[in-house]
Amino acid sequence: QQQQQNRGKKKILIQQNIKKELKGENNKLFENQSILVETDSLKPLVAIAFKVIHDPHLGPLVFVRVYSGVLKQRSTILNTTRGVNEKCSKVVRVFANMYDEVEVLKTGDIGALVGLKDTVTGDTLVDSSNVIPITLEGIIPLESVFSCAIELQTPSQEKNLNIALTQLQREDPSMNISTHKETGQLLIGGLGELHIDIIVERLRREFKIDIQTGKMSVTFRETIQLTYEEEFTSTLPGSGKKPPSTATLRFRVESSINENDENESNLENEFIVDEQLSLLLSKNKVSSSDCGRGD
């Protein structure tokens, strides 16, 4: 009997941050909690955007699946993930490279929306009049592992490159764009060498941007696994009435790897010196290479 009562319902997690306020009239805050949303076309709209592509004629197409309610064209919907209202100008069904315009998408339907400006992959869309800003569990992109630098052959295409990278990143959240702190080069990050090759090829083929790529690099991460301790003493001979000065350095590195987090390490430095340390260091009597002995 309990299974029959829950039939047609789906458990949805609200991931609304307590400190995040939504723009518009529904500026209410909700703690993280789970609710049951009925998959019924008569209930309020709840949908998720699972893919974004750019059509040369229609512009950005946001593919959605409707979990509850109906989604009508020329309607205003609320993106609870971004906290903005979106205007849906058209609703289409996609058949390969053909688009069939429809009036509504009902519960369980999959289609594409035209006219959304801020929605990206993994965002939740609800009715703008919905009292509870439901947020479905979105898509968490993985961190980039491979990266390479790209340079324009002609500086006049810089504006087009920025637009193209913004569109590609909206389609693919796992793509990372950054600037090298030292060289100032523009870096493209991805999950693998093939991933980056596809991005570069699309920039050349679809956006007609002539770019040159640098050498592929891989992100390495290291951590300390064992505890190490070293002690070094340096003595400066006295002169005249001044007594000899001694500086002792104890260096200890401890691993903080545990079952919960294997990526952090702890560095603890302990210095034991006498009263003449400031005088000794101010005269540069102890070189940095001597203090670093034991590496």
Side-chain angles (χ1 to χ4, degrees), residues 124-143:
T124 301
L125 303 174
V126 301
D127 192 345
S128 58
S129 60
N130 199 345
V131 178
I132 302 178
I134 298 174
T135 303
L136 302 177
E137 185 176 359
I139 301 174
I140 302 177
L142 300 177
E143 295 184 5

Side-chain angles (χ1 to χ4, degrees), residues 8 31 55 72 136 158 180 196 209 211 214 233 245 247 259 278 284:
E31 297 181 357
D55 184 81
K72 302 179 181 180
L136 302 177
E158 182 177 359
H180 198 281
I196 297 179
I209 299 176
I211 59 175
T233 302
S245 301
E259 296 180 356
S278 59
N284 297 324

Side-chain angles (χ1 to χ4, degrees), residues 52-97:
V52 180
I53 65 172
H54 284 77
D55 184 81
H57 303 290
L58 298 177
L61 284 176
V62 180
F63 286 77
V64 299
R65 178 180 180 183
V66 180
Y67 287 103
S68 178
V70 295
L71 202 161
K72 302 179 181 180
Q73 65 175 349
R74 295 183 295 275
S75 61
T76 301
I77 52 182
L78 174 63
N79 185 329
T80 57
T81 306
R82 307 288 166 183
V84 295
N85 287 321
E86 294 272 42
K87 182 69 175 181
C88 174
S89 59
K90 291 183 180 180
V91 178
V92 298
R93 290 184 182 273
V94 182
F95 301 94
N97 59 347

Side-chain angles (χ1 to χ4, degrees), residues 9-268:
K9 297 182 180 181
K10 183 176 181 63
K11 191 174 184 181
I12 299 177
L13 176 64
I14 296 180
Q15 293 183 328
Q16 182 63 47
N17 193 319
I18 299 178
K19 298 181 180 180
K20 179 179 178 182
E21 295 185 1
L22 297 177
K23 298 179 182 179
E25 299 178 356
N26 299 327
N27 288 334
K28 296 186 179 181
L29 302 179
F30 295 84
E31 297 181 357
N32 292 343
Q33 53 182 309
S34 298
I35 64 173
L36 289 175
V37 175
E38 296 185 23
T39 54
D40 189 348
S41 297
L42 300 178
K43 299 297 180 180
L45 171 66
V46 178
I48 189 169
F50 63 88
K51 184 178 179 63
V52 180
I53 65 172
H54 284 77
D55 184 81
H57 303 290
L58 298 177
L61 284 176
V62 180
F63 286 77
V64 299
R65 178 180 180 183
V66 180
Y67 287 103
S68 178
V70 295
L71 202 161
K72 302 179 181 180
Q73 65 175 349
R74 295 183 295 275
S75 61
T76 301
I77 52 182
L78 174 63
N79 185 329
T80 57
T81 306
R82 307 288 166 183
V84 295
N85 287 321
E86 294 272 42
K87 182 69 175 181
C88 174
S89 59
K90 291 183 180 180
V91 178
V92 298
R93 290 184 182 273
V94 182
F95 301 94
N97 59 347
M98 300 175 58
Y99 305 109
D100 184 14
E101 187 173 346
V102 295
E103 290 292 330
V104 297
L105 291 177
K106 297 182 180 180
T107 300
D109 290 346
I110 293 178
L113 309 182
V114 181
L116 306 188
K117 297 181 179 181
D118 299 316
T119 302
V120 299
T121 303
D123 288 356
T124 301
L125 303 174
V126 301
D127 192 345
S128 58
S129 60
N130 199 345
V131 178
I132 302 178
I134 298 174
T135 303
L136 302 177
E137 185 176 359
I139 301 174
I140 302 177
L142 300 177
E143 295 184 5
S144 300
V145 180
F146 284 72
S147 64
C148 74
I150 60 173
E151 296 180 357
L152 286 171
Q153 298 287 0
T154 56
S156 60
Q157 290 187 316
E158 182 177 359
K159 183 178 179 180
N160 295 334
L161 177 62
N162 294 332
I163 296 175
L165 292 177
T166 301
Q167 293 182 1
L168 292 178
Q169 195 172 31
R170 185 180 179 185
E171 297 180 12
D172 184 6
S174 61
M175 170 186 171
N176 183 35
I177 304 172
S178 61
T179 303
H180 198 281
K181 296 181 180 179
E182 297 180 357
T183 63
Q185 290 179 305
L186 184 64
L187 302 178
I188 293 182
L191 302 180
E193 187 173 356
L194 179 61
H195 186 192
I196 297 179
D197 289 342
I198 293 175
I199 296 173
V200 173
E201 180 62 26
R202 291 190 62 186
L203 288 173
R204 293 170 176 168
R205 185 182 70 254
E206 298 180 16
F207 299 94
K208 310 300 181 183
I209 299 176
D210 189 11
I211 59 175
Q212 182 179 0
T213 60
K215 186 178 179 181
M216 198 76 64
S217 61
V218 183
T219 302
F220 291 96
R221 292 184 177 180
E222 298 178 348
T223 188
I224 300 172
Q225 296 181 343
L226 301 177
T227 301
Y228 179 79
E229 184 174 0
E230 183 73 16
E231 180 176 333
F232 173 72
T233 302
S234 179
T235 302
L236 178 65
S239 59
K241 297 181 180 180
K242 295 182 179 180
S245 301
T246 304
T248 302
L249 172 67
R250 290 181 182 175
F251 184 78
R252 179 182 176 88
V253 180
E254 291 185 352
S255 173
S256 62
I257 296 179
N258 50 48
E259 296 180 356
N260 298 326
D261 189 358
E262 297 183 359
N263 296 324
E264 296 182 357
S265 60
N266 182 40
L267 181 63
E268 179 182 352

